[in-house]
Amino acid sequence: MRNRIWSSALVVLTVAGGVTVLPAVTGAPTDSLVTAQDRAPEGSGPILGTPTSPSLSEPLRDLPPSGPAAVTVETSPRRNPLASETDGGARGTWNRQETPLDPLINIGRELSAARSPELGLSFEGIGNPVACSGCTPPDTNGDVGPNHYVQMVNATKVQIWDKAGTSLVGPFDLGSLWSTGVCTGNRGDPIALYDPLADRWLLTQFAEPNHMCFAVSLTGDATGSYWLYQFDVSEFPDYFKIGVWPDGYYMSANESTYTAYVFDRAAMLSGAAANYQKFDGETNFLLPSDVDGPTPPPAGTPNHFYTFKDNSFHGGADRIEVHDFHVDWGTPANTTFDLVASLPVAPFTYTACGFFNLECLRQPGTAQRVDQVGEWPMWRWPYRNFGTHESMVGTFAVGGGAGDVGSAVRWFELRSVGGAAWTLHQEGTHDLADGLDRWMSSIAMDRAGNIALGYSASSSSSAPSIRYATRRAGDPLGTLGSEIVMQAGLGSQTSSNRWGDYSAMTVDPSDDCTFWFTTEYYAATSGSTWSSRIGNFVEPSCATAQAPVAVDAAFEVAEDAGAGTTIGTVSASDANMDPLTFAITSGNVGGAFSIDASSGELVVQGPLDFATTPSYLLAILVSDGGLADIANVTIDILAVNEAPQAEDGTFAVPESASAGEVVGRMVATDPDGDAVTYSIDSGNTGGAFAIDSATGDIAVAGPLDFESTPSFELAVTVSDGPLSDTATATINVVDVFEIPAVARFEDVPSDNTFFADVEWLAWAGITVGCNPPTNDEFCPGGSVTRAQMAAFIVRALGLTEGADADLYTDDNASVFEADINKLGTSGITKSCNPPTADQYCPSDTVTRAQMAAFLHRAEDEINIIRLAASLEPLGN
């Protein structure tokens, strides 16, 4: 159950046969999540809570049987946190025309040859109507301890089984543990966690108006007594998620912004008064890391929160972000929450149906669609310390799949070796191209490094089912094995779009190998009578062996290195001290490298060329004969003795340009980054040009004359010392008008103020005279008709199109008709009688205002001429 940023209320209708619960919105959106620019500064001090003392519950095993499902439960729809934005927060995710296939899907399909283990134990979990009458979604989750499996669903039912599937306690209302206060309300969003570092159980739910309810077991017996805490957290902590860490119970929530909390775990384990610290202002939902396995993180290690970001929605690249929450309980001012890693991932499509479009995934036999919850990371964010390295695995739903709607599951693993920065070790997108959409995933990793991914799958012809797939530690990176159906879907949900909102994949602490998964399904089509299933499975090799650990590495080698040159050695270790073998499985383009199978030594095998392949990413399979791991090895090729690369250039310069005037710059690059020099080798007739040896600037050095040399072809050599390249600089000399000594027109003598202007007009071919056929006069005192002006502009711009267009009815007898049609075709003239626009008025004189319009419309053509002459184009 989700966002409570806006107020909602329950409408309780009394009907025949009972009570129906419906949501009723009572307020408009008032807040939206802050933008990146408005977020709280990274590392700023935390918000502090108020210390809270606990009460003690009776043993769960002594609770009376559960009564009928409560009806006063939260059933408000999942709220759009960006509804106040102009586009409702869509930011390009709604109304997509085309969604590309996720780039990792084909890779996963081609390489997923491994066999996932068959289902072991499987039994029914809590379901409606016992759980919460008619509420959705169930928020199904659970965890496994040494002796028990504990499941929680909305709102808020708890049931405890032994590990053979025999029910021991419940289902009962979590709120029944409290005798007073808001935590008695059974509001929902439950999380059940086993704390492997203390052998304790943690059961949680939220409460209204702004509270968190924690029940912490006194011992490892899940059926025993619990310390009960009721924290006022100042805002409603919607969709909260919890992670176990040595120095705290860490929590994320969806409030007026996305928030990160830490609660005092040490105090809560001992039943002492406890407090919390909090940061807000994040722009996508976060998940706290949750310890799996017996080995804690290194002392003093901060908790790691993660989220994912989409380039088109959040800005930047598609990426995984990791924040470190470092708490100081003694001096809270020293507590920090900082972004420590932003790791690019393969491109993905953010959500399958659009941001907070809950009507998304199809089911058979009903028009009701269900929510993908593709906006946020999916529960959990498991952390495991292998000693030689640390790993965290995560998952979220994306678009770009091959199913009905295109929902697929992206998953990934991050690694840190020796406390170094987190890196992306592998990623994949799970989609079998079988027409099914997959979503509502949860992921975990066992002690041998095997990964299990559980999820729901459906289509318009296949009811939502429960499925899983695994990756053995030695499988190719980014791939999963065959898909196993844990529970076939037997019906569809017909009255609500809420599905999930989360599921839970966990690892049994007894053997640290057995995976347990729980989520919902329908035993028969109904409005909201959902069921849940609990199942387990184990990768057989986990029980007897541990996978070797291969260490990612980066090397450099010069491109002239000969065959047999040693590059470096891939490091790996094996807890069982088994002998290891090394093999290159991908990325070895052209067979450039080989690896010693027993030592892991990499050597050059084939020719290297920086220009062709500047870098290689090799996948090195390290195997102990049964289990295996993959090392990502980057080999950067260093350029050696690469010649500079020069580009040809074309320039224009007026013949009147003076010495020193720069014509243009030659462009050259050197693969080695060496400095280059420029020189003119040939084509420089009369020494007309000079080139700056350092910059490549070409400047006028001697007089230019269009009549004698209208163009130059300069051969320019670019050298880095031992090697060089040659480019051609084509320089076109632009003809410049020179005032003649003898007048062309008798009525414009050389002492006339406009002599030079008139002579240029004749030189350019724009006028031939005013008294054909003699044309020895210009008529300088005469006015210009619109027809004559058409001829002037057509000749000046060289317009050729539309001579026979016959655009106007009043120019048919004019000798300028062809010029007028060309002018109209170009759009430089419109007409003289809008809106009919069928006359040109060729005999009318041109006003200065009309001339301004003609020239403005001719702007593009004038700029083309100016650019050809290497002049700046006219401004607007």
Side-chain angles (χ1 to χ4, degrees):
M1 297 183 180
R2 293 293 188 77
N3 198 299
R4 297 298 298 269
I5 292 174
W6 301 286
S7 59
S8 63
L10 295 174
V11 177
V12 180
L13 303 178
T14 302
V15 296
V19 177
T20 300
V21 183
L22 300 175
V25 176
T26 61
T30 58
D31 296 302
S32 65
L33 295 179
V34 297
T35 64
Q37 291 81 6
D38 297 329
R39 64 190 292 182
E42 294 286 329
S44 61
I47 300 167
L48 301 181
T50 301
T52 298
S53 296
S55 59
L56 183 62
S57 80
E58 61 180 304
L60 303 193
R61 68 180 75 90
D62 295 338
L63 291 175
S66 175
V71 295
T72 55
V73 296
E74 183 200 11
T75 58
S76 59
R78 190 163 72 93
R79 296 291 186 168
N80 179 356
L82 298 180
S84 61
E85 287 192 359
T86 302
D87 62 354
R91 300 183 187 175
T93 66
W94 286 342
N95 302 318
R96 299 187 184 99
Q97 297 301 309
E98 245 182 72
T99 297
L101 188 71
D102 189 284
L104 298 182
I105 286 177
N106 285 333
I107 296 173
R109 191 184 311 137
E110 291 168 1
L111 299 181
S112 295
R115 177 70 179 172
S116 295
E118 294 294 340
L119 184 65
L121 179 69
S122 177
F123 57 92
E124 279 294 284
I126 312 170
N128 264 343
V130 173
C132 58
S133 184
C135 80
T136 59
D139 291 351
T140 316
N141 76 104
D143 205 348
V144 60
N147 302 301
H148 305 99
Y149 187 87
V150 180
Q151 187 194 48
M152 296 179 68
V153 299
N154 273 331
T156 303
K157 284 293 191 296
V158 185
Q159 190 165 358
I160 304 173
W161 293 263
D162 66 21
K163 288 163 66 175
T166 301
S167 181
L168 302 177
V169 178
F172 65 88
D173 295 320
L174 180 64
S176 66
L177 299 185
W178 282 262
S179 58
T180 61
V182 296
C183 289
T184 62
N186 293 309
R187 303 309 298 171
D189 270 23
I191 292 292
L193 275 180
Y194 175 70
D195 181 342
L197 304 180
D199 186 27
R200 300 290 188 91
W201 287 90
L202 182 69
L203 310 179
T204 59
Q205 67 168 335
F206 55 33
E208 293 177 305
N210 304 307
H211 289 78
M212 275 300 305
C213 309
F214 286 81
V216 182
S217 68
L218 272 65
T219 69
D221 183 359
T223 70
S225 296
Y226 286 71
W227 293 114
L228 305 178
Y229 289 86
Q230 181 175 289
F231 291 98
D232 185 339
V233 293
S234 74
E235 288 194 62
F236 189 78
D238 191 56
Y239 200 68
F240 71 88
K241 297 293 172 285
I242 306 287
V244 173
W245 208 250
D247 58 7
Y249 290 131
Y250 286 81
M251 185 181 91
S252 60
N254 175 26
E255 300 177 357
S256 57
T257 69
Y258 296 119
T259 55
Y261 289 79
V262 59
F263 294 83
D264 190 342
R265 172 175 174 268
M268 295 166 74
L269 289 173
S270 63
N275 203 354
Y276 69 86
Q277 300 181 28
K278 166 186 174 181
F279 289 90
D280 59 10
E282 295 306 315
T283 57
N284 199 24
F285 189 80
L286 301 152
L287 283 181
S289 50
D290 181 35
V291 171
D292 276 351
T295 307
T301 299
N303 187 267
H304 313 294
F305 281 68
Y306 113 86
T307 190
F308 66 96
K309 297 287 181 70
D310 171 69
N311 62 338
S312 61
F313 191 87
H314 300 99
D318 289 349
R319 63 196 182 276
I320 299 295
E321 290 186 348
V322 180
H323 292 74
D324 276 359
F325 197 145
H326 200 302
V327 67
D328 187 328
W329 291 111
T331 308
N334 293 336
T335 297
T336 57
F337 183 76
D338 295 315
L339 178 65
V340 297
S342 183
L343 306 173
V345 297
F348 61 83
T349 297
Y350 187 49
T351 74
C353 300
F355 185 73
F356 272 78
N357 179 5
L358 279 57
E359 298 288 338
C360 187
L361 304 172
R362 295 189 176 109
Q363 311 171 87
T366 178
Q368 180 64 62
R369 299 192 181 198
V370 294
D371 187 8
Q372 184 206 29
V373 197
E375 298 84 0
W376 297 339
M378 285 286 96
W379 171 248
R380 292 184 303 132
W381 174 228
Y383 163 94
R384 185 173 286 273
N385 186 356
F386 287 93
T388 54
H389 70 284
E390 301 165 84
S391 284
M392 297 188 291
V393 288
T395 179
F396 53 94
V398 297
D404 270 357
V405 174
S407 179
V409 175
R410 177 67 67 91
W411 62 274
F412 62 93
E413 178 188 358
L414 305 188
R415 281 193 179 184
S416 171
V417 179
W422 291 101
T423 60
L424 179 66
H425 181 65
Q426 61 175 323
E427 60 176 327
T429 299
H430 189 53
D431 186 303
L432 301 186
D434 53 4
L436 295 177
D437 289 303
R438 289 168 173 82
W439 83 107
M440 203 53 58
S441 54
S442 186
I443 193 169
M445 175 184 283
D446 68 19
R447 69 184 183 91
N450 306 308
I451 292 173
L453 182 74
Y455 46 88
S456 296
S458 75
S459 72
S460 57
S461 59
S462 180
S465 58
I466 304 174
R467 304 184 180 212
Y468 65 87
T470 65
R471 176 188 182 272
R472 294 178 300 192
D475 289 345
L477 288 175
T479 65
L480 294 173
S482 56
E483 182 174 82
I484 304 295
V485 177
M486 177 174 140
Q487 173 63 55
L490 303 175
S492 299
Q493 177 173 285
T494 60
S495 67
S496 170
N497 57 25
R498 304 296 299 285
W499 188 276
D501 278 332
Y502 42 97
S503 60
M505 181 73 74
T506 55
V507 182
D508 196 322
S510 298
D511 60 8
D512 211 13
C513 287
T514 303
F515 293 104
W516 291 73
F517 183 56
T518 184
T519 191
E520 72 165 300
Y521 77 102
Y522 271 74
T525 295
S526 71
S528 59
T529 306
W530 44 262
S531 301
S532 70
R533 196 76 180 172
I534 301 164
N536 67 25
F537 51 91
V538 62
E539 170 56 47
S541 61
C542 176
T544 58
Q546 291 188 15
V549 176
V551 180
D552 296 344
F555 303 107
E556 294 179 341
V557 61
E559 64 179 340
D560 62 351
T565 301
T566 299
I567 299 169
T569 300
V570 177
S571 297
S573 61
D574 187 85
N576 302 319
M577 304 302 291
D578 295 326
L580 300 177
T581 59
F582 299 79
I584 302 173
T585 59
S586 66
N588 196 16
V589 180
F593 308 100
S594 63
I595 191 168
D596 187 283
S598 59
S599 69
E601 183 180 73
L602 279 165
V603 299
V604 175
Q605 181 70 23
L608 305 175
D609 180 48
F610 173 85
T612 303
T613 311
S615 182
Y616 294 79
L617 178 59
L618 306 183
I620 309 296
L621 179 69
V622 183
S623 174
D624 63 5
L627 299 176
D629 194 14
I630 297 287
N632 293 315
V633 176
T634 302
I635 302 178
D636 293 324
I637 309 304
L638 304 178
V640 176
N641 295 328
E642 288 287 313
Q645 299 169 359
E647 298 179 16
D648 294 339
T650 301
F651 314 100
V653 59
E655 63 180 344
S656 59
S658 57
E661 185 172 330
V662 175
V663 175
R665 173 173 290 187
M666 296 299 288
V667 176
T669 57
D670 190 89
D672 309 324
D674 297 332
V676 298
T677 59
Y678 301 81
S679 61
I680 300 174
D681 287 347
S682 63
N684 194 15
T685 306
F689 302 99
I691 191 167
D692 188 297
S693 63
T695 66
D697 285 342
I698 299 176
V700 175
L704 305 174
D705 180 51
F706 174 83
E707 296 296 333
S708 62
T709 312
S711 180
F712 292 80
E713 296 285 337
L714 307 183
V716 177
T717 296
V718 181
S719 173
D720 64 0
L723 299 175
S724 63
D725 191 18
T726 301
T728 299
T730 302
I731 303 177
N732 297 314
V733 179
V734 179
D735 192 9
V736 176
F737 170 66
E738 298 177 0
I739 302 174
V742 179
R744 166 75 190 281
F745 301 110
E746 293 180 354
D747 55 353
V748 186
S750 59
D751 59 353
N752 188 295
T753 302
F754 300 102
F755 172 74
D757 301 311
V758 173
E759 289 293 331
W760 176 84
L761 211 63
W763 170 83
I766 297 172
T767 185
V768 293
C770 66
N771 59 331
T774 308
N775 283 328
D776 57 358
E777 295 182 354
F778 178 70
C779 305
S783 60
V784 177
T785 66
R786 287 169 58 87
Q788 292 168 334
M789 181 52 60
F792 288 158
I793 294 177
V794 165
R795 294 168 191 162
L797 299 181
L799 302 179
T800 59
E801 300 293 327
D804 300 325
D806 196 20
L807 301 177
Y808 308 105
T809 60
D810 59 349
D811 65 346
N812 294 336
S814 173
V815 296
F816 299 106
E817 180 180 4
D819 293 322
I820 293 170
N821 286 334
K822 292 177 184 177
L823 203 68
T825 299
S826 70
I828 295 174
T829 185
K830 304 297 184 183
S831 71
C832 65
N833 64 330
T836 307
D838 62 351
Q839 296 183 22
Y840 179 72
C841 303
S843 299
D844 289 359
T845 56
V846 178
T847 66
R848 290 169 63 87
Q850 291 169 334
M851 175 57 66
F854 285 155
L855 293 177
H856 188 193
R857 294 172 191 150
E859 176 185 2
D860 288 344
E861 287 76 8
I862 294 171
N863 278 339
I864 290 171
I865 293 172
R866 293 177 65 85
L867 286 169
S870 287
L871 301 174
E872 289 294 326
L874 299 172
N876 293 322

